[in-house]
């Protein structure tokens, strides 16, 4: 990652950053993230495949609907807070786990779901969808889609619905599972869906997972993070923000090809100027990662996130916009892991 400023933030300073709407990476727990992969130059891929699953994807898009995201988000935002060190954040995680399990049951291939335990209550959820061809997984590595399940407010005891941040990315992944399960999709190589805990604590959950994968020499083909997929600012036209900092340029170019081929709206390249979400943990670990967000960064929902106003009952919160990110997610995993 180079020369980003390292700030030794106390817990109070982290709250202050959040209060300013800032995001940050707390690197104190994993100072060595990326050191093993740096020795192993084979990890970073620079070529991603030509698109070849258009016909099946377009059929699969027939299964995408806003019914699931609406129902899921109503429940997910009803927890008082999904703060990662709270009892309700643990309950929201258990509810999310049940949804993921229910959706995994519809797959015609092996799936396994696990809780990645942390030093706090809420756990990261990892769903693995087994590829039909183990040698393909060995060649390519696993394909990962991520979103973060926790929410936060200026102070942890305040109401924190987190509809956009990152309820929207979470339900984007759930609808992706729903539509791919209904399409009887079986990947050739392994795919994982990650629902991270403690993104708001400074990417703590995703750093723990990325560090474990690096230490275990897990090959990762590509990781795409979806954090805030719903907001369309009044007076702007719908776009997908493709983040160009703390991401892999080659994978980012691949994601722009997916937007051109499969979405109804264009993309705009944008910068967040700091490690804005969990893709930055994978980038720091030396794995190819990309980040898609609801708009150019300056048009994102920055005035409402991390407050009790981050709800979905207002006219800038768009379910059709979320469904464009569902299409992107489906295309990402199908084009990178195949359709057996
Ligand atoms: Zn977020």
């Amino acid at each position: 990652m180079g020369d980003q400023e390292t700030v030794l933030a106390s817990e109070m300073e982290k709250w202050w950053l959040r209060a300013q709407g800032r995001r940050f990476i707390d690197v104190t727990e994993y100072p060595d993230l990326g050191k093993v992969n740096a020795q192993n130059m084979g990890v970073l891929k620079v070529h991603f495949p030509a698109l070849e699953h258009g016909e099946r994807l377009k059929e699969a898009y027939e299964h995408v609907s806003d019914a699931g995201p609406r129902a899921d988000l109503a429940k997910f935002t009803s927890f008082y807070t999904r703060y990662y060190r709270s009892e309700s954040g643990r309950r929201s995680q258990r509810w999310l786990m049940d949804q993921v399990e229910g959706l995994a049951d519809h797959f015609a291939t092996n799936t396994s779901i696990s809780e990645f335990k942390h030093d706090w209550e809420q756990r990261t959820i990892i769903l693995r969808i087994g590829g039909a061809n183990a040698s393909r997984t060995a060649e390519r590595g696993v394909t990962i889609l991520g979103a973060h399940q926790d929410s936060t407010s200026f102070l942890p005891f305040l109401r924190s619905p987190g509809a956009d941040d990152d309820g929207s990315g979470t339900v984007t992944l759930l609808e992706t599972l729903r539509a791919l399960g209904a399409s009887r999709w079986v990947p050739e190589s392994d795919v994982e869906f990650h629902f991270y805990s403690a993104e708001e604590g400074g990417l703590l959950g995703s750093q723990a997972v990325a560090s474990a994968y690096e230490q275990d020499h897990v090959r990762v083909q590509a990781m795409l993070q979806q954090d805030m997929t719903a907001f369309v600012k009044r007076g702007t036209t719908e776009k997908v923000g493709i983040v160009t900092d703390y991401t892999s340029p080659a994978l980012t170019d691949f994601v722009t090809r997916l937007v051109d081929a499969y979405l109804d709206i264009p993309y705009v390249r944008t910068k967040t100027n700091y490690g804005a979400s969990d893709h930055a943990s994978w980038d720091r670990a030396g794995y190819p990662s990309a980040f898609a967000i609801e708009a150019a960064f300056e048009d994102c929902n920055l005035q409402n996130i991390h407050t009790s106003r981050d709800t979905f009952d207002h006219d800038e919160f768009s379910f059709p916009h979320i469904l464009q990110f569902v299409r992107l997610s489906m295309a990402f995993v199908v084009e990178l892991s195949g359709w057996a």
Side-chain angles (χ1 to χ4, degrees), residues 16 84 166 192 227 269 276 285 319:
W16 174 239
Y84 64 103
D166 185 21
E192 292 181 2
D227 186 355
R269 288 177 186 266
F319 282 93

Side-chain angles (χ1 to χ4, degrees), residues 309-326:
R309 299 186 307 275
D310 184 8
T311 59
F312 62 88
D313 56 350
H314 58 87
D315 61 7
E316 292 173 304
F317 193 101
S318 168
F319 282 93
H321 199 50
I322 290 178
L323 298 190
Q324 293 294 311
F325 288 82
V326 172

Side-chain angles (χ1 to χ4, degrees), residues 23 148 150 164-166 199-200 225 227-228 276-277 306:
R23 292 162 168 226
H148 73 86
D150 61 313
D164 193 19
D165 185 15
D166 185 21
E199 188 269 354
E200 303 289 6
Q225 176 77 356
D227 186 355
M228 300 168 66
S277 192
H306 304 174

Side-chain angles (χ1 to χ4, degrees), residues 93-158:
Q93 181 242 315
R94 286 209 184 92
W95 177 83
L96 180 59
M97 180 103 174
D98 286 345
Q99 309 316 302
V100 175
E101 269 172 347
L103 292 169
D105 283 347
H106 292 97
F107 280 85
T109 180
N110 289 333
T111 57
S112 62
I113 180 163
S114 58
E115 290 179 298
F116 189 106
K117 291 183 187 144
H118 300 291
D119 298 337
W120 53 89
E121 293 85 346
Q122 187 185 67
R123 298 166 184 182
T124 291
I125 299 168
I126 296 179
L127 170 69
R128 170 170 286 235
I129 301 172
N133 185 339
S135 66
R136 285 293 212 170
T137 304
E139 285 162 31
R140 292 173 177 161
V142 60
T143 306
I144 300 172
L145 276 179
H148 73 86
Q149 59 175 292
D150 61 313
S151 67
T152 194
S153 199
F154 174 37
L155 292 169
F157 50 80
L158 297 179

Side-chain angles (χ1 to χ4, degrees), residues 9-74:
S10 68
E11 285 301 308
M12 271 319 291
E13 285 166 331
K14 289 204 275 183
W15 286 114
W16 174 239
L17 289 169
R18 272 187 285 266
Q20 297 171 299
R22 291 283 304 273
R23 292 162 168 226
F24 52 90
I25 315 179
D26 184 342
V27 298
T28 49
E29 293 287 323
Y30 301 97
D32 293 335
L33 191 60
K35 292 220 168 121
V36 171
N37 281 339
Q39 312 285 312
N40 172 10
M41 298 308 283
V43 172
L44 267 181
K45 269 184 83 149
V46 288
H47 296 294
F48 292 93
L51 309 187
E52 56 178 23
H53 297 284
E55 257 171 61
R56 297 183 95 164
L57 271 168
K58 278 165 194 164
E59 280 174 35
Y61 288 157
E62 300 291 316
H63 295 284
V64 174
S65 139
D66 69 357
R70 284 180 184 277
D72 292 339
L73 207 55

